[in-house]
């Protein structure tokens, strides 16, 4: 077992999938000789050439639209959107074309494609390089939405996404690219199934549901409050669409309390859906009101560092949220 | 029904007599289909939105008549005529507009979303211009796989004022993709005349901006459309993208229920003198030794095919409600 960073897991997944299947190619802005703005595709251009690691114009709707066309015709594109904030020009292509193609054609046309997009704040990126946009897409049947929180899942989920016959949006916690490290088993073909949450910490007092960067912080917060005698169960959602309801419900049936932590804006965010599922299907198990700990309802994370810190959730804010929930 | 994928066109060759008769039949079939849809809509037998191709038949039949079987076709929402030209049976088209199980997508898509993979027809698409980036992907996939297929992407003049168009044209040139861009310039983007919406009224000039070879051709004369398409498909196979602007006119409104306040009756009458079916008929009678009887026969045949198709669709079953959740995802 070797310890690697989260972004190395992503890079390895693409390397292995490019080697495994000639239909796989990468397209995006500066993914070629530059190796991607975050270096996720480093070395792949040199290894696989410019016809499989393709630099595109700075034109997101084209990156995605072209990917859909190629996927319809049986290729397996990995489209990189440089920042999740830049995905909006491609919104129509994702929501109206990729997500609906199979349904409108009664199964005749499929779009086996991955859209990778680094998301999230805390890196001083300001309003247009910090957004968490997953809730826009988890509202869209026909799409799958995945967010890894550690190198193993990053690799295994991305490899599964490349092989999935449906369009998969794969959001990468960019603050965690090099901050989050973990063991990577030396399996030949590490696959993590899409659609399954994982219990990353067993506990009995309350359940915390999180994903991506917030999951990383939540695990740390859980260790801090453990010293105070609060035994937290942490559920890493990993796949946001389709939702793994069973794992979520089972955890709350056990602990009786649910805190949902997500970085996007509170209102209409992904946590609202988890909350609704629990209210509808786990009401009798609940010993406390469901709570959401989320980004504040302002248009985006401000640039100024003090303001950014105020906007962002962190370990101590999550620990405080856990304590107040435990006291209930 | 002509199966266009069986076409054995020799590169650069002009239409032979049999092809002409096939295409005459096809254009009449499209016209009768669209007239029938107009009536069926007014009778309340089909609903939703309906965009008729009447007046533009020479474009679809001429362009697709000239393709090779491996060439892909993708178009916008005015797609009934294109679907017929690609070889889709009118029965499944009428059934689709009736929302029936026997429709092209079992009633899922309706009027604007016809398609058939086997016939290499990749759909009508409802969002203006949004299919153009998809065309670049299909062409990229052909290039990636070393196929000699060309993607034929049709769109209206209205689509050329939006971002999709410009990104797609640019990408096709930068990546040297095998695409024939076909602008069906029917002079109006919905109810807004070209000169009120486009900075240049000669749409082909936009291709100049991307260094793309281009041509503007009379889209009411199928012989000219066919010839230009044949020639330029061969160029695309050798050299990459080409932009073909076909000047045409829709005789009906943008969609059913369009009060057409934006154009004068005189203008419509003027264009109707250039009816593409009339032009083709005149040509067939004057240069190919054909008689009115032969052509009338073809017209009668087309009429009865459409009547058959309507009977078929009316007798078809509705899709089962259980199928609602099918194909949200594929396994």
């Amino acid at each position: 077992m070797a310890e690697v960073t989260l972004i190395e897991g992503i890079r390895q997944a693409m390397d292995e999938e490019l080697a495994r299947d000639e239909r796989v190619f990468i397209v995006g802005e500066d993914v070629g000789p530059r190796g991607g703005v975050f270096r996720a595709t480093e070395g792949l251009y040199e290894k696989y050439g410019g016809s499989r690691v393709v630099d595109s114009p700075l034109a997101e709707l084209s990156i995605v639209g072209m990917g859909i066309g190629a996927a319809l015709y049986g290729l397996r594109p990995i489209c990189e959107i440089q920042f999740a904030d830049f995905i909006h020009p491609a919104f129509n292509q994702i929501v109206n074309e990729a997500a609906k193609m199979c349904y409108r054609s009664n199964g005749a046309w499929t779009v086996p494609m991955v859209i990778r997009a680094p998301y999230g704040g805390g890196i001083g990126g300001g309003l247009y390089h910090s957004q968490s946009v997953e809730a826009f897409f988890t509202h869209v049947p026909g799409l799958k939405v995945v967010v890894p929180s550690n190198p193993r899942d990053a690799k295994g989920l991305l490899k599964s996404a490349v092989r999935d016959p449906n369009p998969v949006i794969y959001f990468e916690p960019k603050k965690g690219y090099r901050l989050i490290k973990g063991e990577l088993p030396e399996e030949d073909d590490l696959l993590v199934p899409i659609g399954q949450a994982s219990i990353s910490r067993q506990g009995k007092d309350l359940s915390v549901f999180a994903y991506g960067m917030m999951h990383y912080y939540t695990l740390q917060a859980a260790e801090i409050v453990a010293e105070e005698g609060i035994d937290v169960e942490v559920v890493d959602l990993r796949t946001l669409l389709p939702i793994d309801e069973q794992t979520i419900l089972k955890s709350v049936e056990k602990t009786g309390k649910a805190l949902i932590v997500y970085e996007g804006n509170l209102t209409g965010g992904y946590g609202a859906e988890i909350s609704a599922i629990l209210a509808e299907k786990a009401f009798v198990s609940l010993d406390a009101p469901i709570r959401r700990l989320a980004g504040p309802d302002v248009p985006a994370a401000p640039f100024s560092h003090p303001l950014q810190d105020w906007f962002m959730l962190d370990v101590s804010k999550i620990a405080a949220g856990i304590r107040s929930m435990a006291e209930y | 029904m002509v199966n266009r994928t069986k076409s054995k066109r020799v590169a650069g060759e002009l239409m032979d007599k049999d092809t002409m008769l096939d295409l005459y039949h096809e254009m009449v079939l499209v016209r009768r289909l669209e007239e029938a849809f107009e009536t069926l809509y007014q009778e309340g037998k089909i609903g939703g939105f309906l965009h008729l191709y009447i007046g533009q038949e020479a474009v679809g039949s001429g362009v697709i008549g000239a393709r090779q079987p491996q060439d892909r076709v993708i178009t916008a929402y005015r797609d009934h005529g294109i679907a017929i030209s690609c070889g889709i049976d009118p029965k499944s088209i009428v059934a689709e507009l009736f929302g029936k199980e026997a429709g092209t997508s079992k009633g899922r898509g309706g009027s604007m979303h016809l398609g058939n993979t086997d016939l290499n027809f990749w759909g009508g698409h409802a969002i203006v211009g949004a299919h153009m980036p998809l065309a670049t992907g299909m062409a990229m996939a052909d290039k990636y796989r070393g196929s000699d297929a060309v993607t034929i992407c049709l769109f209206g003049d209205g689509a050329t004022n939006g971002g999709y168009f410009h990104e797609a044209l640019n990408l096709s040139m930068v990546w040297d993709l095998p695409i024939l861009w076909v602008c069906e310039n029917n002079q109006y983007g919905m109810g807004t005349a070209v000169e009120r919406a486009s900075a240049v009224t000669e749409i082909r000039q936009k291709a100049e901006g991307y260094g793309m070879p281009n041509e503007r051709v009379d889209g009411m004369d199928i012989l000219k459309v066919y010839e230009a398409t044949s020639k330029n498909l061969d160029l695309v196979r050798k050299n990459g993208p080409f932009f073909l602007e076909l000047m045409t006119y829709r005789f009906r409104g943008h969609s059913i229920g369009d009060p057409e306040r934006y154009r004068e009756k005189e203008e419509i009458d003027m264009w109707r003198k250039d009816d593409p079916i009339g032009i083709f008929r005149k040509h067939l009678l004057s240069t190919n030794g054909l008689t009115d009887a032969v052509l009338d026969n073809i017209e009668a045949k087309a009429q009865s095919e459409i009547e058959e198709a309507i009977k078929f669709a009316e007798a078809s079953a509705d899709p089962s409600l259980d199928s609602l959740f099918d194909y949200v995802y594929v396994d």
Side-chain angles (χ1 to χ4, degrees):
Chain A
M1 297 254 266
E3 191 175 79
V4 302
T5 59
L6 187 136
I7 197 167
E8 173 61 13
I10 291 167
R11 198 201 63 79
Q12 284 186 17
M14 288 191 281
D15 190 358
E16 290 179 17
E17 292 304 293
L18 282 163
R20 183 188 60 84
D21 185 347
E22 280 209 344
R23 298 171 303 172
V24 176
F25 70 97
I26 298 171
V27 58
E29 297 162 10
D30 282 341
V31 296
R34 187 175 166 188
V37 70
F38 292 106
R39 302 281 180 272
T41 54
E42 183 128 58
L44 300 179
Y45 173 87
E46 290 72 19
K47 193 164 170 185
Y48 299 98
S51 66
R52 299 192 64 203
V53 183
V54 188
D55 277 331
S56 73
L58 311 186
E60 288 78 14
L61 82 84
S62 287
I63 295 169
V64 174
M66 187 284 283
I68 296 168
L72 280 172
Y73 186 37
L75 298 189
R76 298 269 172 163
I78 302 173
C79 300
E80 179 178 302
I81 299 294
Q82 202 166 72
F83 287 81
D85 314 61
F86 306 171
I87 207 168
H88 305 306
F91 193 78
N92 179 66
Q93 298 287 330
I94 297 168
V95 172
N96 269 332
E97 308 287 349
K100 293 175 179 49
M101 202 61 79
C102 183
Y103 197 70
R104 63 160 277 188
S105 65
N106 202 52
W109 296 339
T110 58
V111 183
M113 132 197 230
V114 181
I115 300 168
R116 292 179 40 240
Y119 82 95
I123 59 154
L127 293 91
Y128 299 99
H129 296 74
S130 305
Q131 293 171 34
S132 298
V133 300
E134 65 276 12
F136 293 125
F137 300 100
T138 54
H139 185 59
V140 183
L143 297 178
K144 295 187 177 182
V145 180
V146 170
V147 189
S149 72
N150 61 65
R152 181 183 179 278
D153 286 352
K155 182 173 180 182
L157 283 167
L158 183 52
K159 282 165 66 79
S160 294
V162 171
R163 301 180 196 190
D164 199 289
N166 301 285
V168 180
I169 307 187
Y170 180 93
F171 287 118
E172 302 168 2
K174 64 175 170 289
K175 187 177 169 64
Y177 270 153
R178 290 177 174 79
L179 188 63
I180 302 177
K181 297 187 178 103
E183 300 281 311
L184 210 49
E186 278 156 27
E187 276 172 46
D188 280 346
D189 204 16
L190 173 70
L191 294 170
V192 174
I194 291 174
Q196 288 179 15
S198 93
I199 312 280
S200 50
R201 186 184 193 284
Q202 297 276 351
K204 59 177 176 17
D205 294 339
L206 67 115
S207 301
V208 182
F209 300 96
Y211 49 93
M213 199 62 207
M214 291 305 112
H215 174 266
Y216 177 73
Y217 288 155
T218 297
L219 274 184
Q220 293 176 18
E223 292 312 315
I224 292 171
V225 298
E227 289 172 18
E228 303 159 19
I230 305 171
D231 187 15
V232 176
E233 175 143 307
V234 181
V235 180
D236 184 356
L237 294 171
R238 302 199 291 192
T239 297
L240 307 188
L241 190 70
I243 305 174
D244 180 359
E245 279 194 9
Q246 267 204 323
T247 303
I248 295 166
L249 293 172
K250 243 171 104 181
S251 177
V252 169
E253 281 159 17
K254 179 168 120 185
T255 65
K257 290 180 182 175
L259 175 67
I260 307 145
V261 183
Y262 56 106
E263 190 178 332
N265 307 123
L266 177 77
T267 302
Y270 188 72
E273 188 59 35
I274 302 297
S275 175
I277 289 169
L278 292 171
E280 286 175 1
K281 300 186 179 173
F283 186 72
V284 293
S285 306
L286 289 169
D287 300 327
I290 302 160
R291 280 199 54 197
R292 291 173 291 163
L293 201 54
D297 282 330
V298 298
F303 171 70
S304 143
H305 270 265
L307 286 177
Q308 176 186 275
D309 291 346
W310 170 83
F311 180 98
M312 288 291 296
L313 294 175
D314 57 25
V315 176
S316 68
K317 288 179 192 172
I318 297 169
I322 293 170
R323 283 183 203 109
S324 102
M325 191 102 205
E327 280 165 19
Y328 187 91
Chain B
M1 210 33 242
V2 186
N3 187 347
R4 301 253 50 95
T5 60
K6 285 186 192 150
S7 156
K8 290 194 204 85
R9 187 180 69 77
V10 177
E13 192 181 83
L14 291 183
M15 255 191 257
D16 62 22
K17 192 166 146 188
D18 285 347
T19 307
M20 285 193 200
L21 290 177
D22 283 351
L23 290 177
Y24 185 74
H25 167 261
E26 184 183 292
M27 286 169 73
V28 175
L29 192 67
V30 171
R31 179 68 61 91
R32 295 293 166 266
L33 176 74
E34 298 290 61
E35 287 167 349
F37 279 151
E38 198 171 24
T39 306
L40 290 162
Y41 195 93
Q42 282 152 0
E43 290 171 359
K45 288 188 179 164
I46 52 177
F49 298 91
L50 185 66
H51 308 87
L52 300 175
Y53 204 54
I54 294 174
Q56 299 180 216
E57 296 92 341
V59 172
S61 292
V63 167
I64 296 158
R67 77 161 164 166
Q68 301 286 4
Q70 71 270 30
D71 297 336
R72 285 160 226 302
V73 174
I74 183 166
T75 189
Y77 49 85
R78 201 176 300 285
D79 65 346
H80 311 154
I82 305 296
I84 293 275
S85 296
C86 286
I88 298 190
D89 191 325
K91 285 180 179 159
S92 61
I93 298 175
V94 180
E96 185 66 23
L97 271 80
F98 277 42
K100 298 294 185 77
E101 175 82 13
T104 48
S105 63
K106 299 196 177 183
R108 284 280 178 84
S111 161
M112 296 178 257
H113 310 103
L114 306 173
N116 184 305
T117 315
D118 295 336
L119 297 169
N120 229 336
F121 175 40
W122 294 87
H125 293 264
I127 305 291
V128 172
H131 64 299
M132 302 183 72
L134 271 56
T136 64
M138 293 182 167
M140 183 273 183
D142 276 319
K143 195 174 173 186
Y144 191 91
R145 293 182 150 167
S147 133
D148 74 337
V150 172
T151 297
I152 300 169
C153 179
L154 299 113
F155 49 93
D157 47 279
T160 72
N161 304 318
Y164 300 113
F165 168 87
H166 293 279
E167 287 198 19
L169 255 67
N170 181 63
L171 194 69
S172 69
M173 282 303 284
V174 172
W175 287 358
D176 197 20
L177 299 173
I179 304 187
L180 179 65
W181 298 111
V182 180
C183 177
E184 300 193 58
N185 185 349
N186 68 10
Q187 339 261 339
Y188 290 90
M190 298 202 288
T192 303
V194 168
E195 61 272 20
R196 294 176 58 218
S198 178
V200 290
T201 52
E202 204 174 337
I203 304 294
R204 63 165 201 88
Q205 289 178 348
K206 294 180 183 178
E208 292 283 345
Y210 300 102
M212 190 184 298
N214 58 80
E215 188 177 7
R216 187 186 227 199
V217 171
D218 175 4
M220 301 307 262
D221 184 339
I222 187 171
L223 296 169
K224 291 178 186 158
V225 174
Y226 183 95
E227 188 185 350
T229 308
S230 301
K231 182 182 72 185
N232 292 318
L233 275 175
D234 296 334
L235 279 181
V236 172
R237 258 180 264 281
K238 285 186 209 119
N239 306 329
F242 190 93
F243 190 94
L244 183 59
E245 180 183 9
L246 298 173
M247 298 307 293
T248 184
Y249 198 78
R250 61 172 155 71
F251 294 169
R252 296 294 194 272
H254 161 69
S255 63
I256 290 267
D258 176 356
E260 297 187 63
R261 290 195 194 101
Y262 49 84
R263 60 184 187 182
E264 300 297 327
K265 192 174 170 300
E266 291 71 33
E267 181 186 294
I268 304 172
D269 291 343
M270 185 192 80
W271 277 93
R272 288 184 72 114
K273 286 187 196 132
D274 284 334
D275 187 311
I277 295 176
I279 289 174
F280 197 21
R281 186 174 171 112
K282 218 187 246 173
H283 173 83
L284 291 171
L285 290 172
S286 63
T287 60
N288 285 273
L290 292 161
T291 60
D292 277 315
V294 172
L295 300 181
D296 289 349
N297 222 0
I298 289 175
E299 299 208 8
K301 183 170 168 276
Q303 178 65 36
S304 70
E305 283 172 76
I306 297 305
E307 285 165 12
E308 280 295 303
I310 294 166
K311 273 186 211 152
F312 168 84
E314 281 176 333
S316 302
D318 287 330
S320 83
L321 297 184
D322 299 347
S323 71
L324 185 72
F325 289 98
D326 292 349
Y327 300 118
V328 178
Y329 297 100
V330 64
D331 293 332

